[in-house]
Amino acid sequence: MKVRNLASAAAALLALHFSLCPAAHAQQADNGRTAQDPFGRRVVPARAVPGGRYKSHSLSCDMLIIHSTDGSVLQVMPWGEGIVKVTYQTGGKAAKSDSSVSVVLAPQPTYWEGTRIFPTITPVAEKKVSTVSGLLANGLAIAFDKRTLQLSLQQHKLSISQEGSIFRRDAASPTPATKPEPGGVAVRFRLAPDEHLYGTGSRALPVDRHGYRLELYNQAHYGSQNHEPNLNIALPTVLSSRGYMLFFDNHAPGYLDLGKTDKNVLEYGGEGLTSLSYFVITGRNQAEILDRYTALTGRQPLPPRWALGLIQSRFGYQSDVEMQQVAARMRRENFPLDALVLDLYWFGGIKKQGDFSWDRFHFPDPAGMMSGLQKQGVKTVLISEPYVMRTSRNDSTVRTQGLVGTTAAGRPYTVASFWAGPASILDVFKPQTRDWLWGYYKKLHQEGAAGWWSDLGEPENHPAAMQHVAGPARVVHNAFGQSWAGILSEGYARDFPNERLFNLARSGWAGMQRNSVFPWSGDINRSWSGYQAQVPVLLGMGQGGVGYMHSDAGGFCVGGIDPELYTRWLQMASLCPILRPHASDVPPEPYFYPDPYKSSVRAAVHLRYQLLPYLYTLAWLNTTRGLPLVRAMDFNNRYPSLPSLPPSPEDSLVAQQLATANDQYLLGPSLLVAPVLHPGQRRRNVVLPNGNWIDFYTNQAYPGNGTVGVPAPLAHPPLLVRGGAFLPMTAYRPSTAFYRPDTLLLRYYPDPQASESEFTMYDDDGHSAQALARRQYETLTMRGFCTPEQTDVILSSNGEYPGQPVFRYLRLLVQRVAAPPTAIYFDEKPVPAEGYAYNPTTHELEVHFLMNAGVAVSMRGLKILASPASDAAPETLTLEAPDRRSFGPGGTTLHFTRHASSPTEAQLLIRNAQGRTVRALPLAAAPGPHALAWDARGAAGQPVPPGVYTAEVAGQHQRLIVAQ
């Protein structure tokens, strides 16, 4: 809802934790029936039924074909370098849902050691031999056991084996007290004891999903928080720490049992499937695997540059006057702004969903409004939903023209229990519906709409009895968002081929990235728990090939106003793929918050705009290689199972910590972001990969391959730069529309441990969809060489694009410089004194010059600060947010994580407002997370008076409020 009294909202900021929680919308499945059975009928597992026995095998067109006695067929086919497809078909006819909605790459010739050769399978088999094996040209061996039909693949030291043959599960007979688990085809794989399993989509779970059973069914959870296993985007992909990915190419509802039932077994099953396809994708590290996976399922096109700016949203702006006021206030308060998002009020409100036309009373001149905002560097993004309300002006049209889901009898289906009222669901699989929808999108875009917000696209309320042209609702459910997004991507390719698409989408499936979607994590709870969920959600999506996952920054719903939470969330979001503050019932715009919170948020979003050249380069790497912008801490680790590269140098303990890190991430190759995820925290532990890491703000160095304690003031979270890195930046401007490529601030972090380093920056006009295809872009390659005698930087520019400056003014900012160099040379020519400057306070050397095609800068006698940070000892304990900050006589539960045994921190003290200790609670000494109940009583067992209290331990504090 819109906050109508902005003055009251601002005043409410001073009364933390007292805001009332809005009621959540109940999500229901179909006409009046709740989505989850309140009586919780017992689920009866489907019974595993083995398949047939071996009958014969053959080779056909480089495909291994295995026939069984029950009529089933198993096919194994090399698909490309490091990619193998396995297909299983029962004796029956394949279900319609078995067709792929994900794969776009046809089988490719294999490239091996620079020579193009088609894959061949050389069978080694005799009648008395139970194992049949073959060797692909790329060194991948395939074998199957004729007794068990167990398939295995091996590449060097990497072995991937099915646990037995592919089999089917038969559903039990239903009873009034039970709910049978659906049957279908399933497959199992062996797991190693120490194997980490990543990806699987948007899930508020630890990044290592080993030990969980997960649903493969897109679903909305209003007010979701940490530990929610199933959210809006489920991906049928599992990335293993052993150097492979399993991609199950079926969009039917299903499950992934990742060692939950049997810790040594991964099981996938698809509901009602009579056939099953999966791909095995191998690689030397996560980067290579994701490169191959996104080549298989499609790459994300380049975003418009403005998509990387601040996109301001709320539920919701209700008039053009309000839009102009927000834009003006953002500029007046010195906040950048690149887009404003219009929620459902642009077409008239909740009951008008499906109208797709402007509310002319509140938006009398939409084209004029959008044009005026555009001149200020502000784009307009419009929401749409797949629901057409029965009160919509288009209700009769979509139902009489057959554009919506139907009953089994072919009549329009009414979803009576949709949260906003009775509605129909557009059948986005039907060509007529797609044309009808695109007609509206095209007209709105021609009026000035620059981007789209595709909400509720799971769909969040999708009755099982509904029929679509592609099949029953449950069968096609996971493909719905994919098909809807395709309407926009196909329409742009056809009618606006030179424009880049921006589509905020809440749901999708494997391959969704190719439709230019920028997904978010749904209606997240406005709480520290909701905020803490975002790092694993980001990483899980990135490890499934989706590079632009983000959240409603600040939290969307339920919680009250908490300026510290808002600040920390915006700080993290500023170092994420997309920055979009959004909220319901509280103000999401940063100017509403008092200082010092407002100033901290302002500094964070200004830094994002300064990092624009770096972020835009990460977007290019995502488009060309499938690399996510936000990466797991072990993203660059080299798998020891493949001999082409040595294993990563981290020792086993640090490697384990990096592989399971849930609270920090890499932003591209050069930056390590450690968000502050707990209230009151002003210092936090950071686990560092090998090498030196330099504090972006202080230039203090931290040695890698271990855990260090890093300051985390309210002004900023820890942000560390990899030693040897180049970090291209630009001067701050209030919109990407004012971005100037003629000036570059290039930070360089020379490091003796990284004697050679390289980074290639990408730039183009920021909006042309054909920039890559027409080679209308520039790459600026930066190479650094650091020795005790001198440090050299070699820059070379290649390529050109319309509007590219002839010369670039470049400010080379060399960090960690102990003293000025004895001499500086450009292309072997001495640089005069006015060509550089040294700041002894910041230890920064600036060398400035004009550059065209390239230049070599040599700094003779440059001395680098070698001493590490003086106070880098890690914290032994972290005091975390309580279950309830405001509570009554029932008390609350406090939480802490002990990172190491520490007898000196044996108690947690509860102090009153005067600082007097009213209770001392003993702390568990064992490492790990702990919960500690406080019953709101003092040492003598009497209830404490209402008021403000503080929980304190190890210099950390949590504010508590005891109510009457």
Side-chain angles (χ1 to χ4, degrees):
M1 294 182 180
K2 181 181 184 299
V3 178
R4 297 185 181 277
N5 191 325
L6 301 184
S8 297
L13 291 166
L14 302 177
L16 304 183
H17 319 299
F18 286 99
S19 295
L20 296 176
C21 297
H25 297 300
Q27 304 302 326
Q28 297 180 308
D30 51 35
N31 301 324
R33 195 157 46 81
T34 55
Q36 294 182 347
D37 189 340
F39 301 102
R41 289 184 298 160
R42 181 171 59 88
V43 176
V44 180
R47 181 172 59 92
V49 179
R53 301 184 304 277
Y54 171 81
K55 180 179 180 182
S56 64
H57 74 277
S58 61
L59 286 172
S60 175
C61 299
D62 300 322
M63 181 187 298
L64 173 62
I65 305 173
I66 305 166
H67 295 269
S68 300
T69 55
D70 64 354
S72 63
V73 179
L74 185 69
Q75 299 174 340
V76 185
M77 182 178 184
W79 206 265
E81 184 65 35
I83 306 175
V84 172
K85 181 181 182 181
V86 178
T87 302
Y88 174 82
Q89 176 65 59
T90 62
K93 186 178 180 181
K96 192 172 184 179
S97 63
D98 294 344
S99 58
S100 178
V101 300
S102 303
V103 174
V104 295
L105 181 71
Q108 301 294 301
T110 299
Y111 291 81
W112 186 247
E113 296 181 351
T115 304
R116 177 175 175 174
I117 52 178
F118 285 84
T120 58
I121 302 173
T122 306
V124 179
E126 298 179 9
K127 290 184 178 179
K128 297 181 180 180
V129 177
S130 64
T131 300
V132 175
S133 61
L135 183 66
L136 299 183
N138 61 4
L140 183 64
I142 298 175
F144 73 92
D145 191 312
K146 293 166 65 176
R147 294 167 301 184
T148 64
L149 290 185
Q150 176 175 299
L151 183 71
S152 62
L153 297 92
Q154 186 161 345
Q155 190 172 38
H156 307 296
K157 296 180 182 179
L158 173 64
S159 179
I160 308 160
S161 297
Q162 289 181 188
E163 179 74 9
S165 65
I166 298 177
F167 62 99
R168 78 175 192 272
R169 285 190 173 275
D170 287 350
S173 300
T175 70
T178 63
K179 177 183 177 183
E181 182 182 65
V185 178
V187 60
R188 296 189 180 112
F189 297 86
R190 293 176 181 172
L191 294 174
D194 58 348
E195 190 166 357
H196 304 297
L197 302 175
Y198 308 120
T200 75
S202 179
R203 305 181 191 275
L205 295 173
V207 291
D208 181 8
R209 274 96 201 241
H210 196 155
Y212 289 89
R213 181 183 169 94
L214 307 171
E215 291 183 70
L216 291 173
Y217 195 76
N218 296 334
Q219 50 197 273
H221 288 271
Y222 185 86
S224 60
Q225 299 189 70
N226 210 2
H227 311 301
E228 174 57 59
N230 302 296
L231 288 170
N232 310 71
I233 304 172
L235 295 179
T237 58
V238 182
L239 181 62
S240 168
S241 61
R242 292 177 53 233
Y244 68 92
M245 174 189 275
L246 292 173
F247 160 42
F248 300 97
D249 188 24
N250 305 90
H251 63 269
Y255 64 89
L256 285 168
D257 190 322
L258 306 181
K260 173 69 172 178
T261 304
D262 183 336
K263 66 180 180 180
N264 299 314
V265 173
L266 181 158
E267 181 178 324
Y268 163 81
E271 184 177 308
L273 289 182
T274 58
S275 67
L276 183 152
S277 295
Y278 69 84
F279 287 84
V280 179
I281 306 167
T282 61
R284 293 172 294 181
N285 51 27
Q286 289 189 26
E288 188 166 74
I289 291 174
L290 289 174
D291 187 358
R292 291 170 175 174
Y293 168 75
T294 53
L296 179 68
T297 60
R299 298 260 169 80
Q300 176 109 10
L302 278 171
R305 200 188 321 263
W306 65 263
L308 301 178
L310 191 151
I311 302 169
Q312 185 61 58
S313 178
R314 75 148 62 198
F315 181 39
Y317 302 123
Q318 298 191 14
S319 69
D320 59 354
V321 172
E322 190 175 7
M323 293 278 281
Q324 298 288 356
Q325 289 173 341
V326 172
R329 180 80 181 271
M330 290 288 281
R331 294 282 186 259
R332 191 164 64 250
E333 296 268 5
N334 195 21
F335 284 101
L337 182 65
D338 263 270
L340 286 170
V341 182
L342 276 170
D343 212 316
L344 45 81
Y345 295 106
W346 74 267
F347 49 70
I350 292 172
K351 298 299 182 181
K352 298 294 185 179
Q353 293 179 69
D355 274 16
F356 296 104
S357 56
W358 291 91
D359 172 4
R360 292 284 177 168
F361 181 80
H362 294 97
F363 298 91
D365 182 14
M369 177 195 72
M370 291 187 283
S371 175
L373 290 170
Q374 169 82 13
K375 292 174 183 177
Q376 302 173 49
V378 180
K379 307 289 185 180
T380 302
V381 178
L382 301 181
I383 195 173
S384 65
E385 306 87 358
Y387 294 87
V388 178
M389 304 296 296
R390 296 306 312 271
T391 50
S392 166
R393 60 182 292 178
N394 284 323
D395 171 67
S396 176
T397 299
V398 299
R399 292 170 74 90
T400 58
Q401 293 186 12
L403 307 182
V404 299
T406 67
T407 65
R411 296 172 182 166
Y413 194 108
T414 297
V415 185
S417 60
F418 179 53
W419 71 270
S424 307
I425 297 181
L426 291 169
D427 189 348
V428 296
F429 303 97
K430 186 173 288 188
Q432 300 96 306
T433 307
R434 301 172 71 83
D435 291 342
W436 182 83
L437 258 179
W438 175 246
Y440 279 104
Y441 289 141
K442 182 177 180 179
K443 179 183 177 183
L444 291 165
H445 179 62
Q446 290 170 333
E447 288 180 338
W452 311 97
W453 177 9
S454 303
D455 202 8
L456 317 183
E458 297 77 24
E460 73 167 26
N461 188 324
H462 203 188
M466 182 180 290
Q467 300 291 315
H468 293 272
V469 69
R474 188 165 176 84
V475 171
V476 303
H477 175 84
N478 287 330
F480 190 96
Q482 190 97 309
S483 184
W484 185 17
I487 297 174
L488 283 163
S489 61
E490 293 164 14
Y492 266 67
R494 181 178 60 251
D495 294 337
F496 309 117
N498 294 319
E499 298 186 43
R500 299 180 190 175
L501 170 62
F502 179 80
N503 180 13
L504 290 168
R506 202 173 79 172
S507 195
W509 194 245
M512 61 188 291
Q513 67 277 354
R514 68 174 181 265
N515 286 319
S516 295
V517 296
F518 299 82
W520 80 100
S521 54
D523 292 344
I524 192 72
N525 193 290
R526 192 164 41 249
S527 65
W528 288 92
S529 176
Y531 169 43
Q532 291 159 5
Q534 299 313 306
V535 173
V537 165
L538 280 167
L539 296 176
M541 289 292 286
Q543 290 166 324
V546 183
Y548 290 91
M549 191 64 178
H550 68 288
S551 64
D552 291 339
F556 176 67
C557 61
V558 180
I561 295 174
D562 185 338
E564 185 182 9
L565 172 63
Y566 180 87
T567 299
R568 292 307 197 185
W569 206 323
L570 266 289
Q571 287 173 339
M572 185 187 80
S574 296
L575 296 169
C576 282
I578 299 295
L579 169 59
R580 187 179 55 86
H582 181 57
S584 169
D585 300 296
V586 305
E589 296 83 7
Y591 50 70
F592 278 112
Y593 289 80
D595 276 327
Y597 307 103
K598 180 164 63 173
S599 295
S600 297
V601 172
R602 183 185 293 113
V605 297
H606 278 219
L607 174 60
R608 178 181 183 85
Y609 276 69
Q610 292 171 305
L611 287 170
L612 189 60
Y614 180 71
L615 295 174
Y616 198 59
T617 298
L618 300 187
W620 169 63
L621 292 173
N622 177 257
T623 295
T624 55
R625 295 175 53 196
L627 309 185
L629 284 73
V630 164
R631 305 170 185 180
M633 291 304 303
D634 63 344
F635 184 81
N636 298 306
N637 283 15
R638 300 184 289 275
Y639 298 127
S641 56
L642 300 177
S644 53
L645 287 174
S648 295
E650 285 82 21
D651 63 36
S652 58
L653 176 61
V654 174
Q656 175 76 8
Q657 292 172 326
L658 293 171
T660 57
N662 295 299
D663 61 351
Q664 58 183 69
Y665 57 87
L666 298 173
L667 180 59
S670 304
L671 293 177
L672 191 162
V673 182
V676 178
L677 300 173
H678 304 288
Q681 191 173 29
R682 298 297 181 264
R683 197 171 185 270
R684 63 152 291 172
N685 288 349
V686 183
V687 184
L688 299 179
N690 197 51
N692 284 325
W693 292 84
I694 297 91
D695 190 306
F696 178 87
Y697 298 98
T698 67
N699 261 339
Q700 288 189 305
Y702 295 89
N705 199 25
T707 300
V708 297
V710 182
L714 183 66
H716 61 78
L719 177 62
L720 303 175
V721 187
R722 190 187 299 272
F726 288 95
L727 198 60
M729 301 176 66
T730 188
Y732 168 74
R733 290 180 177 84
S735 169
T736 62
F738 310 133
Y739 170 73
R740 296 192 53 170
D742 59 358
T743 302
L744 186 68
L745 282 64
L746 179 57
R747 284 199 181 200
Y748 174 46
Y749 292 81
D751 182 36
Q753 289 191 29
S755 57
E756 296 186 17
S757 56
E758 182 176 320
F759 184 80
T760 298
M761 187 189 92
Y762 173 87
D763 201 15
D764 60 21
D765 64 12
H767 59 83
S768 173
Q770 304 301 321
L772 287 173
R774 295 173 180 170
R775 302 189 65 82
Q776 294 177 341
Y777 59 86
E778 175 195 16
T779 57
L780 177 60
T781 300
M782 312 150 187
R783 301 180 65 197
F785 303 87
C786 180
T787 69
E789 293 75 28
Q790 71 182 58
T791 297
D792 295 330
V793 173
I794 300 175
L795 307 174
S796 58
S797 172
N798 291 284
E800 58 185 29
Y801 61 88
Q804 179 184 12
V806 177
F807 290 93
R808 175 180 279 118
Y809 179 61
L810 204 145
R811 295 172 58 194
L812 177 63
L813 307 174
V814 186
Q815 307 299 306
R816 304 173 63 214
V817 177
T822 56
I824 301 178
Y825 292 84
F826 287 166
D827 297 330
E828 302 301 327
K829 297 178 181 178
V831 175
E834 61 268 22
Y836 66 93
Y838 175 67
N839 187 328
T841 303
T842 60
H843 298 287
E844 179 181 84
L845 171 70
E846 176 176 336
V847 185
H848 39 266
F849 50 90
L850 286 175
M851 193 194 84
N852 184 353
V855 68
V857 182
S858 180
M859 293 161 279
R860 312 287 170 85
L862 188 71
K863 301 297 182 184
I864 305 300
L865 291 174
S867 58
S870 58
D871 182 19
E875 297 286 304
T876 60
L877 181 147
T878 299
L879 184 60
E880 300 163 356
D883 278 355
R884 290 179 296 165
R885 191 179 299 276
S886 178
F887 49 91
T892 189
T893 299
L894 302 163
H895 297 271
F896 68 96
T897 296
R898 194 182 286 280
H899 308 295
S901 182
S902 176
T904 59
E905 296 161 352
Q907 292 183 322
L908 180 144
L909 303 179
I910 305 291
R911 301 184 189 275
N912 61 20
Q914 291 73 42
R916 184 173 62 86
T917 300
V918 299
R919 186 78 178 269
L921 301 173
L923 297 177
H930 299 278
L932 184 65
W934 179 44
D935 56 5
R937 294 176 179 269
Q942 296 297 317
V944 299
V948 177
Y949 293 80
T950 301
E952 177 184 329
V953 63
Q956 302 175 49
H957 305 81
Q958 289 294 332
R959 188 166 179 259
L960 307 172
I961 301 172
V962 177
Q964 188 70 39

